[in-house]
Amino acid sequence: MDKNYDTVIIGGGISGMATALRRHKKGDKVLLIEKSDQLGGKLGVLKWGDYVWDKGPSLFTLPNLITELFTLYNKNPQDYFEYSEMEENCRYYFENLPPFTFFKDKEKRRTELEKIFSKKEIDQVEDYLANTEKIYNEIGELFIDEPKLGLKDMFKLKIVRQYPKLMSQQMLHSLNDYNQKQFQNPHLVQLFNRFGTYNGSNPYQMSGLYSMIPHLELNLGTFFPKGGMRAIIDSLEKLMREEGIEYALNIEKIKVSDKEKGVIVSVEDQIIEAKCVVSAIDHMTFYDNIYQDDRAKNKYKDQVKSTSAVVFYWAVNHKFDEFGLHNMLFSSDYQDEFEQIFDDRKIPKSPSIYIHNSSIVEPNQAPENGQNWFVMINTPAGIEPSANQINELREFVVSRVNELVGIDIKDHIIHEKTWTMKGIENDTGSLDGALYGAAFNTKTASFKRHGNQSKKNKNIYFTGGSVHPGGGIPLVLKSAKIVDQLIDKNGNH
Ligand SMILES: Cc1cc2nc3c(=O)[nH]c(=O)nc-3n(C[C@H](O)[C@H](O)[C@H](O)COP(=O)(O)OP(=O)(O)OC[C@H]3O[C@@H](n4cnc5c(N)ncnc54)[C@H](O)[C@@H]3O)c2cc1C
């Protein structure tokens, strides 16, 4: 470590790595510091014998946001990172309904949905998909490609032009209300309400504006990296090494303080002067442990957090054909499930279950006659389930898989690991184990989210899942892009 850097980035998750690559390309002398012994943050990996699980994200959308980091350096992305488009988006399981698959291809999708839904209902699905594309293209950019909108931005011409859309029914109603207007079939309402969970929020409270989320998955498609999700991190780390970007692992003590025209960073008691610092960790953890800004901390401390999770990683000693890569087993009372999570703040009793099975497309991630199940249940942030509750959830999943899918999995689970609220918080620094920072549970949540630049010290920037524009791989990569542009604009260098 030297004594001077242009940009010091704290946190080596995907957003910190993307920021490091972007700033290095601009000619910055960059240092990235990470508390754990590897880069990647939530994109960690678990192994047991011949079984391999991606620890966190499993749904991969907008792969161009990754590949553009390679083209930035005039590299062929395929020399580093390969992925393929998935034919199936997700398999859905409801009570009292045969299972069905949502396909990317319109004709295939229609043929499959015809087994379950009427022509009118399928037309409503297609109309919804057309509308989700429209709203994403028309106003999505304002909310996810640019720094957070403030009150003063409301008079800018390009925003004034969008007023009719901003005041549209999507924006003013909850996602659930909006979906109920689009569909009479309650299963379709529930299916499209689920997209609220993509940023860990409550579809019964968040703005209908987020009806634009399905556009990413259902219109633009889902993808899967060769070698699993962790391959994304390995490829970016390789590029960082080749480009000589400096990073330090296992750093436990970091403090940031103000300096005229810059920032002082103390790293394990070594003093570094930097032109700017980028926090690529949860902003509340940054204020708690690294940088004193009581005003900012108090402003954000009461914001409702997004969901946390209980994840079971199961080594299964049998190949089941029923499941695809992404599978969703819905609860019978979705509203009650969200009330338990956000209002009662309890581990839900009969929750929806997401099951991801990467060995279906990546056979090397499980032995020949086995599968690597990733089973995830949404839970409240800040609530650690007891051993008893984890046992109850496991039993619930086993019985629900039997009931909805007809698979008796119980005797086929030969090994289990779990990741729960406390582990997520300890391993990644996300306060209360929230997967996506603050929830978007109000109509104005986007405006109230933490932005990408400190008000106290203009040389401190924020990227990653807890800040604008939101969590999830695509959005945190967009936040890295926004920070890169803000640093340019503010002329720190
Ligand atoms: C179980 C789970 C499932 C998910 N599913 C999906 C999905 O399917 N699709 C999707 O797009 N997204 C998903 N997400 C969300 C996605 O993983 C995150 O939004 C994204 O990875 C966040 O990246 P990040 O760089 O902002 O933060 P992180 O990945 O959290 O990285 C933060 C890094 O900072 C380090 N750090 C923390 N504190 C300090 C400190 N004090 N000093 C130094 N370093 C520190 C951490 O060790 C970590 O490496 C999921 C997340 C989880 C946990």
Side-chain angles (χ1 to χ4, degrees):
M1 252 178 270
D2 291 340
K3 291 197 170 125
N4 291 283
Y5 288 89
D6 294 313
T7 303
V8 172
I9 298 160
I10 302 171
I14 193 165
S15 67
M17 296 173 83
T19 311
L21 283 161
R22 289 191 176 280
R23 288 319 300 169
H24 178 76
K25 183 64 195 168
K26 295 275 167 71
D28 278 12
K29 185 176 172 192
V30 170
L31 171 67
L32 183 150
I33 35 188
E34 162 60 44
K35 79 174 164 81
S36 79
D37 60 2
Q38 54 176 319
L39 297 179
K42 293 188 177 71
L43 282 112
V45 73
L46 281 176
K47 291 187 180 157
W48 181 75
D50 291 337
Y51 292 86
V52 181
W53 298 265
D54 282 307
K55 221 173 153 189
S58 53
L59 180 71
F60 184 36
T61 52
L62 295 189
N64 56 304
L65 291 170
I66 301 286
T67 52
E68 70 184 32
L69 293 167
F70 296 99
T71 44
L72 200 63
Y73 284 92
N74 299 319
K75 305 274 186 186
N76 177 2
Q78 284 170 4
D79 291 343
Y80 294 80
F81 168 63
E82 286 180 56
Y83 60 90
S84 34
E85 181 165 11
M86 299 291 106
E87 207 188 8
E88 293 183 5
N89 293 119
C90 188
R91 293 192 188 181
Y92 291 107
Y93 295 83
F94 290 91
E95 246 167 55
N96 309 320
L97 208 66
F100 63 92
T101 301
F102 228 88
F103 287 97
K104 164 82 188 321
D105 178 77
K106 192 171 172 177
E107 287 314 308
K108 264 193 140 167
R109 180 163 69 228
R110 187 165 265 282
T111 310
E112 172 78 359
L113 295 183
E114 273 168 2
K115 292 182 200 158
I116 317 274
F117 299 104
S118 68
K119 179 178 178 306
K120 184 180 165 203
E121 287 165 341
I122 299 171
D123 288 345
Q124 286 174 341
V125 168
E126 294 304 327
D127 287 350
Y128 192 97
L129 294 185
N131 207 31
T132 181
E133 174 169 14
K134 201 160 161 261
I135 183 163
Y136 183 88
N137 290 337
E138 284 172 349
I139 57 174
E141 185 188 294
L142 286 178
F143 284 89
I144 61 180
D145 285 336
E146 306 215 357
K148 193 182 71 157
L149 296 175
L151 266 183
K152 62 178 182 337
D153 299 313
M154 287 299 146
F155 303 103
K156 286 185 183 159
L157 189 60
K158 87 174 174 194
I159 304 208
V160 171
R161 279 204 194 112
Q162 301 299 346
Y163 273 3
K165 276 149 209 150
L166 288 171
M167 291 300 134
S168 66
Q169 50 169 329
Q170 270 109 330
M171 184 75 182
L172 300 177
H173 292 86
S174 72
L175 181 61
N176 174 64
D177 287 349
Y178 175 72
N179 288 342
Q180 279 193 326
K181 286 203 172 67
Q182 310 308 311
F183 304 108
Q184 287 75 51
N185 186 316
H187 297 106
L188 290 173
V189 174
Q190 188 169 8
L191 190 155
F192 282 97
N193 276 353
R194 178 190 167 223
F195 287 92
T197 65
Y198 283 34
N199 57 28
S201 305
N202 183 345
Y204 299 87
Q205 292 174 346
M206 72 198 293
S207 161
L209 176 71
Y210 295 100
S211 60
M212 71 169 129
I213 298 176
H215 175 60
L216 300 188
E217 175 178 323
L218 303 181
N219 291 324
L220 298 180
T222 64
F223 302 81
F224 204 68
K226 190 161 183 260
M229 297 297 284
R230 178 69 196 178
I232 300 175
I233 295 301
D234 295 341
S235 66
L236 293 178
E237 187 172 358
K238 182 170 178 232
L239 181 62
M240 281 174 64
R241 276 213 216 104
E242 282 175 6
E243 294 300 325
I245 300 176
E246 189 179 347
Y247 59 93
L249 303 175
N250 299 308
I251 300 293
E252 284 181 4
K253 272 169 63 187
I254 307 169
K255 291 280 171 210
V256 167
S257 53
D258 299 329
K259 146 181 183 286
E260 205 189 336
K261 287 196 169 180
V263 191
I264 307 260
V265 193
S266 154
V267 183
E268 307 287 17
D269 298 326
Q270 180 178 328
I271 300 297
I272 291 171
E273 291 195 12
K275 287 183 183 158
C276 70
V277 156
V278 180
S279 160
I281 64 175
D282 188 308
H283 60 280
M284 294 309 286
T285 305
F286 182 72
Y287 293 132
D288 270 338
N289 303 337
I290 295 179
Y291 179 68
Q292 189 85 21
D293 183 350
D294 292 341
R295 204 161 158 217
K297 188 178 159 182
N298 289 334
K299 184 168 169 196
Y300 295 101
K301 75 176 179 357
D302 294 328
Q303 284 193 337
V304 173
K305 302 271 182 320
S306 58
T307 46
S308 186
V310 166
V311 188
F312 295 106
Y313 308 88
W314 285 344
V316 171
N317 70 354
H318 186 79
K319 263 192 172 7
F320 292 100
D321 295 331
E322 285 81 349
F323 279 140
L325 183 67
H326 305 289
N327 312 277
M328 189 66 205
L329 282 63
F330 276 112
S331 64
S332 49
D333 190 340
Y334 214 32
Q335 185 157 7
D336 181 55
E337 183 179 345
F338 285 96
E339 280 170 12
Q340 289 178 54
I341 294 174
F342 286 105
D343 301 339
D344 308 341
R345 297 188 37 72
K346 282 187 184 147
I347 306 294
K349 277 274 174 232
S350 312
S352 299
I353 304 161
Y354 166 72
I355 300 179
H356 166 63
N357 196 333
S358 70
S359 55
I360 287 181
V361 291
E362 282 295 311
N364 290 343
Q365 299 203 321
E368 205 178 325
N369 285 316
Q371 286 180 336
N372 61 343
W373 286 32
F374 165 108
V375 179
M376 181 169 141
I377 287 150
N378 294 322
T379 62
I383 304 291
E384 177 64 3
S386 65
N388 229 355
Q389 285 172 316
I390 292 178
N391 288 339
E392 280 172 18
L393 280 181
R394 182 187 309 103
E395 277 170 30
F396 175 74
V397 174
V398 167
S399 76
R400 197 71 175 157
V401 167
N402 203 342
E403 185 188 349
L404 295 190
V405 195
I407 290 178
D408 192 356
I409 182 76
K410 192 159 187 248
D411 296 332
H412 293 289
I413 305 169
I414 54 169
H415 185 78
E416 174 187 282
K417 289 177 193 281
T418 54
W419 206 22
T420 57
M421 190 281 289
K422 265 285 155 223
I424 296 169
E425 182 178 63
N426 291 339
D427 296 346
T428 71
S430 290
L431 188 65
D432 291 340
L435 305 190
Y436 308 94
F440 287 81
N441 285 359
T442 60
K443 311 285 181 306
T444 51
S446 281
F447 300 97
K448 294 192 173 148
R449 201 169 180 84
H450 196 291
N452 303 104
Q453 189 176 18
S454 161
K455 289 206 163 62
K456 187 175 167 217
N457 183 339
K458 299 278 177 213
N459 304 309
I460 297 179
Y461 299 86
F462 295 84
T463 180
S466 75
V467 300
H468 176 79
I473 297 170
L475 293 198
V476 308
L477 291 170
K478 283 186 183 266
S479 78
K481 237 171 153 170
I482 292 171
V483 162
D484 178 40
Q485 287 157 6
L486 281 175
I487 295 175
D488 284 344
K489 189 172 156 211
N490 292 300
N492 296 68
H493 299 80

